[in-house]
Amino acid sequence: MALFEARGLHKRFGRQVVLQDLSLSFEEGRLSGIMGPNGAGKTTCFNVLTGRYAPDRGSVRFAGVDVTGLPPREIARHGISRSFQVMNLFDDDCALDNVLIALPRVRAQGFRLWRDLRTDSAAEQQAVVVLARVGLAGKELAPAKSLSYGERRALEIAVALAAQPRLLFLDEPTAGLGAEGTARLADLVAELKRQLTIVVIEHDMRFL
């Protein structure tokens, strides 16, 4: 049985049909790609699969559990994380704090620790390890907005990894990256796919 499976998904906005009878599945431990031109509905597909939009029809199952229409936070609790085509970071906070707030042990306490995120030394060490994993060792205290574009992409993946997912969705991770940044990202994804199931929206066939 596939780790993740969607069947007969439909999504429309007003009169515009974006997804029509879409079915797909992803096997555990594999890297899969979703390709298509701009405007083909790739990001809408991700948004339906990860709970940002509920499908008008169809079903989504993860690890045998029906997660159709659940909100993103609930889907994340099941073990699914994602990045975004437009990066979603706390720009005025440092890289370490961006990752800390995404850790399950911190989220479980709500936002009471927002002003004192680093009071939990175990959580802080866990965040440091995640940052090192994506090549940001030594950048822990750098404000997110001060990082290079490629480093910000890596930080967004670190935030997704902090949730400890089984399945990671990456939405056009090479967008805006030059050749060197794309090569570094390819190395990172190659390392991550040894431990995670990954699905990538991409228009760059060479990258995939």
Side-chain angles (χ1 to χ4, degrees):
M1 182 177 67
L3 177 65
F4 188 95
E5 186 173 32
R7 287 287 175 260
L9 295 181
H10 289 248
K11 186 63 186 177
R12 67 185 302 154
F13 299 96
R15 295 184 177 181
Q16 183 179 11
V17 177
V18 182
L19 303 178
Q20 183 172 354
D21 196 25
L22 175 69
S23 296
L24 43 77
S25 63
F26 306 120
E27 300 294 329
E28 188 160 19
R30 299 284 297 277
L31 186 148
S32 304
I34 297 176
M35 298 196 71
N38 289 335
K42 301 185 302 296
T43 294
T44 297
C45 174
F46 257 27
N47 287 336
V48 170
L49 298 180
T50 59
R52 195 166 190 185
Y53 301 145
D56 298 320
R57 296 199 304 274
S59 65
V60 180
R61 298 183 67 84
F62 176 66
V65 177
D66 189 343
V67 296
T68 310
L70 292 181
R73 190 168 183 175
E74 288 298 318
I75 286 183
R77 286 175 178 167
H78 281 275
I80 298 172
S81 285
R82 67 166 293 178
S83 71
F84 292 85
Q85 188 175 11
V86 177
M87 283 183 281
N88 189 22
L89 298 169
F90 294 110
D91 279 339
D92 291 328
D93 293 295
C94 67
L96 183 67
D97 286 347
N98 269 269
V99 174
L100 273 170
I101 198 62
L103 291 173
R105 63 185 294 149
V106 174
R107 285 188 171 271
Q109 300 177 58
F111 288 94
R112 288 175 298 170
L113 290 182
W114 179 252
R115 288 179 295 179
D116 296 302
L117 285 173
R118 294 178 217 159
T119 59
D120 186 336
S121 59
E124 183 174 348
Q125 182 56 38
Q126 190 177 352
V128 168
V129 170
V130 172
L131 286 168
R133 190 176 178 190
V134 301
L136 292 178
K139 301 280 187 174
E140 294 87 357
L141 300 182
K145 63 185 176 185
S146 74
L147 299 174
S148 70
Y149 189 84
E151 289 171 339
R152 285 167 56 80
R153 281 286 177 193
L155 177 57
E156 193 187 29
I157 293 175
V159 171
L161 291 176
Q164 300 173 354
R166 290 179 65 187
L167 173 60
L168 176 63
F169 286 101
L170 300 177
D171 190 354
E172 297 206 16
T174 66
L177 290 178
E180 184 178 343
T182 298
R184 284 199 300 267
L185 183 63
D187 290 340
L188 172 59
V189 173
E191 180 64 29
L192 293 177
K193 75 177 185 177
R194 298 177 183 177
Q195 304 162 41
L196 293 171
T197 303
I198 302 175
V199 182
V200 185
I201 285 179
E202 226 352 297
H203 58 269
D204 185 341
M205 176 64 86
R206 290 179 61 194
F207 175 79
L208 284 177

